[in-house]
Amino acid sequence: MGLKRINIIKIISYSLLMAGAFSMLTPFIWMLITSMMTQKQIFSYPPEFIPDPLYIKNYPDVVKSIPVATYFFNSTVVAVLTTLGQLIISSMAGYAFARFEFKYREPLFLIFLATTMVPPQVNIVPLFFIMRELYWIDTYQALIVPGLFGGFGIFLMRQWFKTLPVELEDAAKIDGCNPLQTYFRVALPLALPALATLGIFTFILTWNSFMWPLIVTNSDNMRTLPVGLAILKGSFRETTEWGQLMACAVISVIPVIGVFLMGQKYFIKGIMLGGIKE
Amino acid sequence: MDYKKFFASNSWWAVLFILPAFLGVFIFIIIPVFMSFGLGFVKWNLISPPQFIGLKNYIELFSDEIFYKVLWNTFYYAFITAVFSILIPLVLAYALDRKLKGAAFFKAAYFLPYVTPMIVIAIVWTWMFDPNYGILNWLLGIGDSVKWLYDEKFAMPALIIVSIWKNIGYNMIIFLAGLQAIPESVNEACELDGATGFRRFFLVTLPLLTPTLFFVSIMTVISSFQVFDLIFLMTEGGPQNSTMIMVYWLFKQAFEYFNIGKASAIAYVLFVIILLLTLIQWKTRKKWVLNE
């Protein structure tokens, strides 16, 4: 195999990858460009690609026409609290399954694993009913609490704790720590990579979540960004304020892209782990 | 059992550590699964007391013409989406697997659609699909002849294009992991034997990748069966029910028509389909080995 042949393969590979990257990124660039155009320019044909004039007034305008700040605040509260809760609850259970000897450990773990097979859509009607019985409709509890639990996080944490050496925890025990202290002071700091994976995953999933917040909220004060933006899109179908719509879309996507780029390594690891639910 | 011994043992601590997770999973996953099953046998509008009607919801469902239309749409959407969400990432992962410069950039770029909220995707693509002002028709040079989301024939293909676009990054990462798990010695042996390019890909790489391929296929089909946001945000099932798929239909029955019994019956049909697919995947999961 000559040098020439290797080069041809490289050129083909690069061309394919560049073409792919172009189609992946175009919608994002188009969104950003459109968000800075005047109404007149947006509806020009053939399409124009450079905002002229640079019209950033779409951003303050959309903040005035819908409560973007409230939506943003709600999304942040829900995503952050769900992530923190999920991390504590899953890591504690995962730790117990990895370290403690107790009756029915294996069957109990299998029950948790089995719950990952249930598609959330199957449960949506009874969950709505439960929320209503608890008087949780249109509250933060409804947006946060059902998202705290799941087999995937427990599985992921258990796998991680199993790979850690026990010696450090034994030393802590000899020093008089009870299991709860050992878990918080010794095991948890060593589990940071796994916590990062689970945390980034939960944050992005919760931030993007749409069906559940749509069903359990009904006042503007409780809407999250995706739901608020969806209502804007619906009501704008006739008025066609695409500039403002794009501006709000840009605002909604920034936090997830930020979190993703910061924790890309862990996110990708989580995807690969998701594939091997033992 | 002696309670003193119990509190001195690990079992007590295990109860303490697992209880929050167990209660949550029990209340918010396990109970609803059984409730959903039960609700499939009642007539209920969320207000007046539920009425037991036996198998009537299911009988009605299976004699409803729309049900078969929805079922067909869902399978059509899921399988076409899966085929392209496998072929394209497979080729891209193979291209990316030759230690090229800029691999990190490509991974990040391909991944962006996957982490982006569906509402953002829906807004941008709805605008790009616009028959009169959208850039898609302009780029393709077809004027306003294809009306995409407004046309019975083209609405579903439009949604499938968006789904494939969103899926590519995720599947590519898994294929890349699969490709990197193939030992270097195999590739070296190929070179010695003169098996390169297409021959190597089809005769060596692909067979070694079969478990990954199978896993990705089933996962993609399963996630496609669960699609909701995309439909709700881009077509609302129309035009003329041409993009009506199961979860969106379930949602409409439950939260627009308050037909809880019928919605729960749909939910269980969906559950059985997904369960069958999951079981197939679990049965074969042992072959799916990942070496980091």
Side-chain angles (χ1 to χ4, degrees):
Chain A
M1 173 147 98
L3 205 63
K4 217 170 150 193
R5 201 191 155 92
I6 295 178
N7 276 336
I8 290 172
I9 293 175
K10 269 206 167 161
I11 288 167
I12 295 175
S13 300
Y14 263 120
S15 320
L16 279 174
L17 288 167
M18 290 301 284
F22 175 77
S23 21
M24 290 296 117
L25 294 178
T26 302
F28 290 97
I29 296 164
W30 193 229
M31 167 171 78
L32 198 63
I33 291 175
T34 312
S35 79
M36 294 185 283
M37 278 183 177
T38 58
Q39 189 76 349
K40 188 170 157 259
Q41 211 187 357
I42 289 171
F43 283 99
S44 59
Y45 196 87
E48 289 176 25
F49 295 94
I50 297 156
D52 178 33
L54 198 65
Y55 190 73
I56 45 175
K57 205 167 158 282
N58 285 324
Y59 286 82
D61 279 354
V62 75
V63 173
K64 252 178 264 163
S65 61
I66 58 164
V68 176
T70 308
Y71 298 156
F72 197 94
F73 176 79
N74 289 341
S75 275
T76 310
V77 168
V78 171
V80 168
L81 290 183
T82 306
T83 305
L84 287 178
Q86 171 80 249
L87 287 181
I88 293 174
I89 293 166
S90 298
S91 69
M92 281 184 84
Y95 183 74
F97 281 119
R99 285 290 190 258
F100 300 156
E101 298 278 342
F102 54 93
K103 241 184 176 179
Y104 309 121
R105 186 176 72 174
E106 299 313 311
L108 202 56
F109 184 67
L110 270 180
I111 291 176
F112 278 108
L113 263 194
T115 60
T116 61
M117 301 205 313
V118 180
Q121 296 83 359
V122 169
N123 278 349
I124 208 125
V125 171
L127 261 185
F128 173 80
F129 173 73
I130 293 173
M131 294 296 124
R132 211 182 60 166
E133 292 305 293
L134 293 169
Y135 296 98
W136 278 9
I137 299 296
D138 221 25
T139 63
Y140 282 123
Q141 296 93 290
L143 291 168
I144 295 168
V145 178
L148 296 177
F149 312 99
F152 174 69
I154 295 170
F155 167 75
L156 193 135
M157 294 312 299
R158 168 181 173 265
Q159 296 305 92
W160 179 266
F161 284 122
K162 275 189 144 184
T163 64
L164 289 182
V166 204
E167 283 76 20
L168 276 171
E169 290 160 47
D170 284 343
K173 223 177 277 171
I174 292 164
D175 287 347
C177 287
N178 66 36
L180 199 64
Q181 291 165 322
T182 312
Y183 156 78
F184 267 115
R185 290 187 197 157
V186 184
L188 214 50
L190 290 172
L192 277 180
L195 291 172
T197 301
L198 181 60
I200 290 163
F201 233 83
T202 313
F203 183 91
I204 293 179
L205 277 179
T206 313
W207 184 277
N208 293 353
S209 164
F210 179 74
M211 193 180 187
W212 183 243
L214 174 76
I215 291 170
V216 293
T217 60
N218 47 38
S219 70
D220 246 356
N221 294 332
M222 288 313 299
R223 300 270 192 226
T224 56
L225 255 180
V227 180
L229 194 48
I231 292 166
L232 185 71
K233 179 182 187 271
S235 66
F236 274 5
R237 193 163 292 164
E238 297 81 28
T239 53
T240 59
E241 285 281 357
W242 286 101
Q244 288 189 28
L245 210 48
M246 294 293 172
C248 198
V250 171
I251 295 172
S252 332
V253 83
I254 287 171
V256 264
I257 292 187
V259 167
F260 164 65
L261 289 179
M262 278 191 307
Q264 197 184 351
K265 195 176 88 190
Y266 298 114
F267 194 74
I268 286 172
K269 207 176 251 170
I271 285 171
M272 280 148 67
L273 267 171
I276 41 166
K277 288 175 190 156
E278 188 193 25
Chain B
M1 189 155 127
D2 184 349
Y3 75 94
K4 264 187 193 161
K5 223 164 123 194
F6 175 71
F7 280 104
S9 74
N10 259 339
S11 301
W12 155 245
W13 286 104
V15 169
L16 190 77
F17 273 63
I18 293 172
L19 197 64
F22 185 76
L23 280 180
V25 164
F26 191 70
I27 297 170
F28 297 112
I29 300 178
I30 296 173
I31 290 181
V33 171
F34 289 103
M35 274 177 79
S36 195
F37 183 71
L39 288 174
F41 302 102
V42 301
K43 191 178 164 61
W44 191 31
N45 59 9
L46 277 172
I47 300 160
S48 56
Q51 219 185 323
F52 181 79
I53 54 165
L55 281 170
K56 231 177 135 202
N57 285 320
Y58 284 92
I59 292 166
E60 247 174 55
L61 199 62
F62 284 102
S63 50
D64 188 345
E65 237 173 82
I66 298 174
F67 173 71
Y68 294 99
K69 168 120 179 145
V70 171
L71 212 56
W72 163 252
N73 285 346
T74 311
F75 273 85
Y76 173 70
Y77 167 83
F79 283 103
I80 305 288
T81 300
V83 167
F84 288 99
S85 305
I86 287 158
L87 289 180
I88 299 170
L90 184 62
V91 173
L92 290 171
Y94 194 61
L96 199 57
D97 188 37
R98 36 209 71 243
K99 298 175 186 76
L100 297 175
K101 275 187 198 136
F105 162 76
F106 287 123
K107 272 190 214 166
Y110 286 114
F111 227 87
L112 273 190
Y114 185 74
V115 296
T116 302
M118 192 54 99
I119 175 62
V120 171
I121 293 174
I123 288 173
V124 182
W125 279 92
T126 304
W127 181 233
M128 295 203 316
F129 276 129
D130 190 278
N132 300 311
Y133 302 100
I135 49 167
L136 202 71
N137 279 2
W138 180 79
L139 277 173
L140 297 171
I142 50 174
D144 62 352
S145 57
V146 175
K147 301 224 173 345
W148 295 111
L149 301 174
Y150 303 99
D151 187 316
E152 224 181 304
K153 281 201 299 288
F154 289 103
M156 189 61 108
L159 295 183
I160 291 174
I161 291 171
V162 180
S163 310
I164 296 165
W165 177 79
K166 193 174 165 68
N167 284 342
I168 285 177
Y170 184 95
N171 287 351
M172 191 189 75
I173 293 296
I174 300 182
F175 280 135
L176 201 58
L179 284 171
Q180 282 165 358
I182 296 175
E184 199 52 42
S185 56
V186 172
N187 292 336
E188 279 162 16
C190 285
E191 253 161 61
L192 284 179
D193 290 345
T196 52
F198 285 109
R199 271 171 61 89
R200 189 179 104 189
F201 180 75
F202 284 108
L203 295 177
V204 182
T205 313
L206 211 52
L208 283 172
L209 209 61
T210 332
T212 315
L213 208 63
F214 191 71
F215 166 80
V216 173
S217 313
I218 298 218
M219 289 305 283
T220 310
V221 173
I222 290 179
S223 71
S224 303
F225 269 104
Q226 300 180 36
V227 71
F228 170 79
D229 305 8
L230 179 72
I231 312 289
F232 182 95
L233 295 167
M234 287 185 74
T235 62
E236 291 175 8
Q240 268 87 48
N241 284 340
S242 63
T243 57
M244 183 67 80
I245 50 89
M246 285 186 87
V247 179
Y248 186 68
W249 200 41
L250 184 167
F251 169 85
K252 267 181 107 74
Q253 292 297 337
F255 299 104
E256 272 179 34
Y257 312 139
F258 301 104
N259 210 336
I260 298 302
K262 191 169 174 185
S264 302
I266 300 170
Y268 253 75
V269 174
L270 178 75
F271 191 21
V272 169
I273 295 172
I274 291 180
L275 209 58
L276 285 175
L277 288 167
T278 313
L279 286 177
I280 295 174
Q281 187 216 317
W282 277 41
K283 281 263 174 208
T284 53
R285 73 177 184 265
K286 282 177 197 97
K287 289 185 193 157
W288 156 252
V289 188
L290 185 99
N291 302 319
E292 268 186 72

